[in-house]
Amino acid sequence: MITMNMPIWLDQTLNMAISRQFAAEELAEIAGMLADLGLGQSVISLDEWQHNQPSLAAVQKCLGLSGLLTLSECNLQLAQKAGIEQVILVCSIEEQNGLVAKLQSVLPAAKEQDLKVSLLLEVAGAFTETLLSGLAATCRQYSIAAVNYWDKTGQGNPFAVHKQISILKSRLACPVGIAAGNAYGLATANTLAALKAGAGQVIAAIGGIGGCAPWEEVFMAAREIGELEAEVPRDLAGTCRQIFAAFNLPVAVDKAIIGPAIFAHESGMHVDGVSKMPEIYEPFAPELVGLTRQLVVGKHSGTATLRTKFAAWGISLEEEESNRLLAGVRSLAVRKKTAISDNELRKLYLSG
Amino acid sequence: MPELKPDFLIDTTLRDGEQAAGLVFSAMEKLAIAVALDQAGVGWIEAGTPVMGPEEAEAMRLILDAGIKATVFSWNRANARDIAASVACGFEFLHISVPVSDLHIYRKLKQSRKWVFDQLTRAVFLARSHGCRISVGAEDASRAEPDQFLELAELSVRLGAERIRYADTVGVMEPFGIRNIIKYLSERCPLPIEFHAHNDFGLATANTISALQSGSRYVSVTAAGIGERAGNAALQEVLAVLAIKNAVPPGVNLAAAKKISCQVAAISDRQSFFSTTYNNG
């Protein structure tokens, strides 16, 4: 068992919309759906926003916004232009040696503009003692709101992330966050490891859009495996699909947590199991995320599936009958290279 | 990361992968996938379930006749029909799966643990009487007690099995828990352990890597991670992570594995089947 506390969710889905130059109304629509999921904050790139400069007023009615700025250029005026009061300074690996000095040079201006400042630090290996102590002092001096650990390459592993987050937490007075890259499919695991180490904020996106941790995986894993106390938003899967639709993207049918096929069972043993007690083959109830269970008739079906289907139609199948029908189902499924529809099933029964 | 043996990968694209609802591979596709996996350096190929019928058995025979270097084996429940079907196909290595959790034994099979052990004993005896080699699968191991898994392993080794599969059947494990349990079990288990992940929370790859780091000798994967529900650990992704750590054993080809995964992803597309499933509010 791993215990975790509810982090602040920093969404990056909206950032994808900004990059794609969505109009103000489209941004507001996505923001509304993110808020429906319980996400309170989004981070957007101010350099990307600068291209079209869409109004963010409607977005900010549902979400708090933080503006991402590179530490090197640190174009703080953009925050004011966008009407944003929180900025996240993005520090690359190359800048790490001169990080503290650079921070000392830009933070006074930020303070003057009354901006709340957080950091997003690209990581590679362990932090040096010099960096840690410099960072701790700077964070104290300028009341840095949070320091986020950024595994940009996605090559981090959960045990290393846990260790580094723990170190940051022990040295910094401010909250520590995680932004896990997903190039190797490890972002969810790395994010959970960070939460286990006490990370107070998580940067993620719906479906992992943009290459970061998939929010719905982190949320549900934290809740189901990590025993995080959290209410699941109504129709989580449906809302995520709608958000994807706003980008003209389909959700992969077997996408964890929200894919339309994840509660579709065809294999005879699995259908038999879930019919007796769903938890035999389901990690949580489909209704929890707004999906429903489907029993698919196909190559892997067993006679139990057929008996269940026909019983629902008021027909009780004999053993001999169901065996014959099953052979027909398997043949047809292999010929068609897909599952069998109810009508095809009925025709098979009538012709047998 | 301990040094991985060249045959550490057990691919189940053609069995657990094909169990993805609505998915059917033709016999020729199965053959092509098996040959490609073999050429990519995969050591073990779980090809299917012969008892499923003549079409499946036919596909199995094609693969067994293809001159593949990898060990091609079948999946079986612990009963005489399954074993007989595998033997009739010509399989010389059989995987026999039994549930190991109370939930599966009592609520799914409605039997006792003793009954399960008797079934396994008879099935292994039958298979070995035909000269077949055996691996045993512990279904739902992640929701069973460690002692229950070890008890099954003790029986399995006495019966002559060569390895035991620890299945995280509903994908509820996470890397820290995996590290603890696999370390604990590998220190006590009389058989090498194969870790079998599912991706219900997006953790299959991370769990699989954690298992390899903690003493798992083998891992189950499928091309592109296809499989039941949210799928299995993805062959190409697991290898990509191992490549970062310079841990891919000689003979295993990451580029070939990526290619197979792209091809399998393409032929297992089920978007149209599930596009009308956007039900519910």
Side-chain angles (χ1 to χ4, degrees):
Chain A
M1 290 308 130
I2 41 178
T3 42
M4 328 178 140
N5 295 313
M6 184 69 129
I8 296 173
W9 305 106
L10 297 176
D11 160 76
Q12 270 212 307
T13 315
L14 198 67
N15 196 24
M16 176 64 80
I18 296 277
S19 301
R20 298 219 182 156
Q21 311 202 0
F22 281 25
E25 310 77 53
E26 295 170 302
L27 295 173
E29 200 192 334
I30 293 173
M33 293 192 278
L34 291 168
D36 285 344
L37 291 174
L39 292 147
Q41 302 270 332
S42 271
V43 305
I44 62 166
S45 162
L46 285 169
D47 294 320
E48 293 285 338
W49 175 84
Q50 194 182 28
H51 296 304
N52 275 4
Q53 302 190 18
S55 162
L56 298 171
V59 167
Q60 286 181 308
K61 288 209 176 82
C62 0
L63 297 174
L65 286 179
S66 295
L68 291 163
L69 286 169
T70 60
L71 178 62
S72 47
E73 282 166 29
C74 204
N75 198 343
L76 293 171
Q77 286 81 2
L78 283 180
Q80 204 168 44
K81 251 189 178 169
I84 290 178
E85 293 170 348
Q86 308 177 110
V87 295
I88 303 182
L89 301 180
V90 182
C91 321
S92 69
I93 287 285
E94 296 78 39
E95 292 167 311
Q96 225 171 71
N97 278 339
L99 178 63
V100 174
K102 179 72 176 163
L103 283 174
Q104 297 272 348
S105 74
V106 304
L107 288 174
K111 200 167 182 182
E112 225 164 277
Q113 289 179 47
D114 251 330
L115 291 170
K116 193 168 153 195
V117 180
S118 296
L119 306 179
L120 180 64
L121 298 185
E122 186 185 346
V123 298
F127 294 117
T128 62
E129 177 52 41
T130 325
L131 179 63
L132 282 171
S133 45
L135 198 56
T138 311
C139 289
R140 252 195 320 273
Q141 186 184 355
Y142 291 97
S143 309
I144 296 286
V147 171
N148 297 288
Y149 176 101
W150 185 24
D151 175 23
K152 184 176 179 186
T153 61
Q155 294 184 6
N157 78 75
F159 308 106
V161 169
H162 186 275
K163 186 171 176 193
Q164 291 304 309
I165 296 286
S166 304
I167 290 172
L168 282 178
K169 274 223 65 150
S170 70
R171 302 298 297 268
L172 302 175
C174 62
V176 173
I178 174 82
N182 205 24
Y184 294 87
L186 301 173
T188 302
N190 289 336
T191 304
L192 289 176
L195 284 172
K196 194 164 134 69
Q201 24 184 61
V202 166
I203 295 177
I206 303 304
I209 207 171
C212 58
W215 172 80
E216 68 283 356
E217 288 177 13
V218 176
F219 177 83
M220 287 301 290
R223 184 184 192 268
E224 298 297 304
I225 306 176
E227 304 194 322
L228 180 77
E229 286 204 23
E231 217 180 284
V232 183
R234 201 192 77 82
D235 196 15
L236 185 149
T239 309
C240 290
R241 266 193 319 263
Q242 281 181 285
I243 291 172
F244 258 54
F247 291 95
N248 262 326
L249 292 171
V251 174
V253 300
D254 59 356
K255 172 68 187 62
I257 314 295
I258 58 174
I262 63 173
F263 292 103
H265 305 281
E266 179 192 315
S267 144
M269 254 175 63
H270 286 238
V271 169
D272 176 63
V274 299
S275 306
K276 286 165 174 164
M277 198 170 154
E279 91 185 63
I280 287 173
Y281 282 113
E282 288 174 356
F284 51 84
E287 292 73 25
L288 187 59
V289 294
L291 290 169
T292 39
R293 183 173 305 119
Q294 283 176 269
L295 301 186
V296 172
V297 175
K299 177 184 171 184
H300 301 83
S301 291
T303 50
T305 313
L306 299 182
R307 276 198 293 272
T308 310
K309 275 222 106 104
F310 277 78
W313 294 335
I315 299 173
S316 159
L317 286 180
E318 303 286 329
E319 193 185 326
E320 168 69 44
E321 256 183 319
S322 55
N323 285 332
R324 243 187 310 119
L325 188 56
L326 186 60
V329 161
R330 286 172 174 165
S331 262
L332 184 57
V334 167
R335 273 204 313 279
K336 280 186 66 196
K337 275 183 110 288
T338 187
I340 307 300
S341 69
D342 283 356
N343 278 341
E344 285 166 327
L345 187 57
R346 280 187 271 253
K347 280 204 199 101
L348 269 175
Y349 173 73
L350 292 169
S351 67
Chain B
M1 178 75 69
E3 194 178 323
L4 301 176
K5 299 273 189 328
D7 70 338
F8 78 105
L9 286 170
I10 298 183
D11 186 276
T12 182
T13 303
L14 302 178
R15 199 277 306 171
D16 212 6
E18 204 203 26
Q19 281 175 212
L23 182 56
V24 180
F25 292 129
S26 68
M28 294 312 293
E29 283 169 337
K30 281 205 162 196
L31 178 61
I33 292 168
V35 168
L37 287 169
D38 184 42
Q39 286 172 349
V42 171
W44 299 83
I45 296 172
E46 190 170 58
T49 314
V51 78
M52 255 171 39
E55 296 87 2
E56 177 79 342
E58 182 56 36
M60 299 295 95
R61 283 191 208 97
L62 270 177
I63 296 172
L64 286 168
D65 286 341
I68 282 171
K69 287 190 315 292
T71 307
V72 177
F73 65 99
S74 65
W75 187 92
N76 302 267
R77 290 162 301 182
N79 69 53
R81 273 192 68 227
D82 285 39
I83 305 295
S86 284
V87 169
C89 266
F91 280 100
E92 291 175 351
F93 193 111
L94 272 57
H95 178 83
I96 303 177
S97 176
V98 291
V100 71
S101 68
D102 285 345
L103 179 66
H104 274 227
I105 292 176
Y106 301 141
R107 302 304 216 108
K108 182 180 74 172
L109 295 185
K110 308 205 172 172
Q111 295 289 353
S112 66
R113 195 167 293 274
K114 180 178 187 308
W115 182 88
V116 169
F117 285 179
D118 286 345
Q119 292 294 106
L120 179 65
T121 303
R122 269 197 279 272
V124 176
F125 189 85
L126 179 59
R128 298 208 69 206
S129 75
H130 289 282
C132 297
R133 295 161 61 196
I134 301 295
S135 69
V136 170
E139 194 186 12
D140 208 30
S142 54
R143 292 187 299 184
E145 295 301 314
D147 283 347
Q148 292 170 332
F149 177 86
L150 289 170
E151 197 188 3
L152 178 61
E154 297 290 344
L155 172 62
S156 301
V157 71
R158 276 203 308 276
L159 295 174
E162 295 182 21
R163 64 169 178 257
I164 183 164
R165 173 180 287 173
Y166 179 103
D168 180 19
T169 299
V170 288
V172 293
M173 295 295 286
E174 49 74 41
F176 288 82
I178 293 286
R179 183 173 64 170
N180 292 343
I181 190 66
I182 297 294
K183 233 179 177 171
Y184 179 87
L185 291 176
S186 16
E187 283 162 8
R188 294 161 177 77
C189 186
L191 286 170
I193 296 174
E194 170 193 350
F195 176 70
H196 178 101
H198 277 280
N199 200 39
D200 296 79
F201 291 99
L203 298 171
T205 297
N207 285 345
T208 300
I209 299 295
S210 179
L212 288 170
Q213 288 171 322
S214 308
S216 191
R217 164 73 173 82
Y218 302 94
V219 289
S220 303
V221 290
T222 64
I226 64 168
E228 297 270 5
R229 301 183 317 274
N232 294 43
L235 165 69
Q236 80 286 0
E237 200 166 75
V238 168
L239 284 179
V241 177
L242 291 174
I244 305 167
K245 302 173 191 294
N246 288 319
V248 178
V252 179
N253 188 332
L254 171 58
K258 282 184 184 167
K259 190 165 173 208
I260 297 166
S261 298
C262 278
Q263 290 168 332
V264 166
I267 64 177
S268 57
D269 176 46
R270 295 173 292 153
Q271 273 290 344
S272 52
F273 184 77
F274 286 98
S275 64
T276 52
T277 311
Y278 293 147
N279 47 18
N280 222 36

